[in-house]
Amino acid sequence: MSLNLLGLSRQQFESWCAEHGEKPFRARQLMRWMHQSGVGDFGLMSDVSKGFREQLAACAVIAAPPVLRDTTAPDGTRKWLFDVGTGNAIEAVYIPEGDADDEEGGRRYRGTLCVSSQTGCALECSFCSTGRQGFNRNLTAAEIVGQLWHASRSLGSVLGMDRPVTNVVMMGMGEPLANFDNVVTAMQLMLDDHAYGISRRRLTLSTSGLVPALDRLRDACPVALAVSLHAPNDALRDQLVPINRKYPIRQLLDACLRYIEKAPRDFVTFEYVLLAGVNDSVEQARELVRTVSPVPCKINLIPFNPFPGSGYERPATTAIAAFRDVLQQAGLTTTVRKTRGDTIDAACGQLAGQVRDRTRRVQRRFEENRT
Ligand code: SAH
Ligand code: SF4
């Protein structure tokens, strides 16, 4: 199988060039062609020698996973369904937000891409349909970056923008920290000035709480962090997020504090899926305030997105508002996610079997998780 250059970090690419008798600057040159100009054909790389171009064409490719479906909603939300082989598909979702508030207090264009890291997931959170389907496989670094590569070049031409993707969230299918090496390589490329040049503050990883991997991430590639908490105490979290039995809340919060020391942002976002009658009472909101108190944080409430046979329900709007009010009155910055792109969801419903189920879920989760 040919080497897919999309998945090589700058360091790996420089070593690869050295092995092929080329200077390290060639790697940077090729990276700019691929990632910034969106070029996938070696023949178009006009400032690269013909001999090296031929050598590249003989042993390497530049390829995102094939697109099975590409849909745009009236609100501009766009999603791509990618074929990753053996009947599995993954999805990336783009949400343009026009001019949004930036960290400096100004306003600038924001376009966020939600990226998948695995097909399926081994962690079996009880309310997550990916988790119920079990684990299929890790995506390669090229398949992860390929989602951004494809989105950037497709959007760039349509929107007439150099950098249509300003933010990336690792919130698609899978647990990114369970595919550590490939996710870190992919994120390094997202951050690299010779590739996508996305700032660490605009790249967010969401995890269910793999504590040792979180510590490794802090050193290997600190980016903005979202943690899926979903319960105010261990007894309940043990049921909803089974990885809690291995890494309970106290350990997870300590890891968050260690992470913040090196993180680009001085807070963690805690995600909390609201499940009717399970974790949505006012008393549980008060307990949540006490639980998260050691960690500088924001809270992202996600009303549950039902799927067939889940056994859970989304709480009533009044219950969601009451839960949010308790957190806000305690001084916690709290947001409730809204759904966008309903028309795409409907279109997605036309897809078959497993593919339909998984991709609709990714779409909804992303929409409700944006920070
Ligand atoms: N595996 C990672 C990232 C992907 S899931 C994680 O768990 O954090 C992104 C978010 O969607 C997580 O907070 C996850 O708990 C949430 N989620 C999963 N299933 C959901 C559902 N049915 N409704 C609403 N949110 C859900
Ligand atoms: Fe995996 Fe995240 Fe779903 Fe849990 S919520 S099963 S960690 S994808």
Side-chain angles (χ1 to χ4, degrees), residues 285 289 324-333:
V289 171
R324 180 202 58 205
D325 289 350
V326 172
L327 303 182
Q328 283 181 341
Q329 278 155 20
L332 289 168
T333 304

Side-chain angles (χ1 to χ4, degrees), residues 51-352:
F52 190 41
R53 277 189 270 161
E54 281 167 7
Q55 206 184 340
L56 284 165
C59 65
V61 293
I62 299 169
V67 175
L68 291 170
R69 196 179 174 93
D70 174 349
T71 327
T72 306
D75 65 7
T77 303
R78 183 164 171 186
K79 66 177 187 177
W80 297 268
L81 179 69
F82 296 98
D83 181 359
V84 290
T86 57
N88 284 292
I90 53 149
E91 197 169 58
V93 180
Y94 176 72
I95 298 217
E97 293 179 86
D99 286 339
D101 292 334
D102 68 15
E103 291 101 21
E104 290 82 39
R107 289 179 73 74
R108 53 166 239 164
Y109 179 82
R110 184 158 73 192
T112 303
L113 188 73
C114 176
V115 170
S116 293
S117 59
Q118 301 181 306
T119 62
C121 181
L123 297 184
E124 299 187 334
C125 300
S126 62
F127 51 85
C128 171
S129 122
T130 310
R132 293 212 184 166
Q133 284 167 10
F135 176 63
N136 186 258
R137 74 168 171 87
N138 283 331
L139 297 184
T140 64
E143 287 169 331
I144 299 168
V145 171
Q147 298 167 59
L148 176 56
W149 182 74
H150 182 81
S152 302
R153 69 203 295 252
S154 313
L155 293 162
S157 52
V158 175
L159 303 177
M161 261 186 235
D162 257 4
R163 301 212 172 178
V165 179
T166 60
N167 294 51
V168 171
V169 291
M170 299 300 301
M171 280 184 191
M173 286 177 63
E175 166 52 52
L177 291 185
N179 183 12
F180 191 89
D181 292 343
N182 293 339
V183 165
V184 165
T185 300
M187 293 201 307
Q188 281 166 344
L189 276 167
M190 293 171 187
L191 298 169
D192 198 304
D193 283 339
H194 296 281
Y196 299 92
I198 288 171
S199 95
R200 284 183 192 278
R201 300 159 69 89
R202 298 197 169 98
L203 172 55
T204 302
L205 180 141
S206 173
T207 179
S208 57
L210 300 184
V211 167
L214 193 49
D215 282 330
R216 284 173 67 204
L217 184 71
R218 171 187 110 120
D219 297 320
C221 191
V223 294
L225 180 67
V227 171
S228 293
L229 196 56
H230 306 321
N233 58 58
D234 283 321
L236 184 56
R237 194 164 191 267
D238 280 351
Q239 288 173 34
L240 302 178
V241 186
I243 195 69
N244 194 68
R245 296 173 203 157
K246 201 162 177 190
Y247 307 116
I249 292 177
R250 181 63 204 271
Q251 282 186 34
L252 179 55
L253 298 184
D254 284 348
C256 289
L257 285 172
R258 291 193 293 276
Y259 190 87
I260 287 175
E261 286 167 17
K262 289 210 183 165
R265 290 185 185 269
D266 55 7
F267 64 90
V268 169
T269 301
F270 287 120
E271 295 160 287
Y272 193 101
V273 172
L274 284 168
L275 307 162
V278 175
N279 67 354
D280 66 336
S281 73
V282 161
E283 185 39 54
Q284 283 162 320
R286 293 198 190 104
E287 193 182 357
L288 180 62
V289 171
R290 293 193 293 275
T291 301
V292 300
S293 63
V295 180
C297 65
K298 295 185 180 177
I299 310 281
N300 193 354
L301 298 175
I302 316 165
F304 174 64
N305 288 309
F307 56 91
S310 73
Y312 292 111
E313 282 172 23
R314 175 185 282 223
T317 315
T318 46
I320 295 171
F323 196 95
R324 180 202 58 205
D325 289 350
V326 172
L327 303 182
Q328 283 181 341
Q329 278 155 20
L332 289 168
T333 304
T334 307
T335 46
V336 180
R337 286 296 144 202
K338 292 197 197 82
T339 305
R340 269 178 66 173
D342 288 330
T343 51
I344 291 196
D345 224 357
C348 226
Q350 290 151 9
L351 296 172

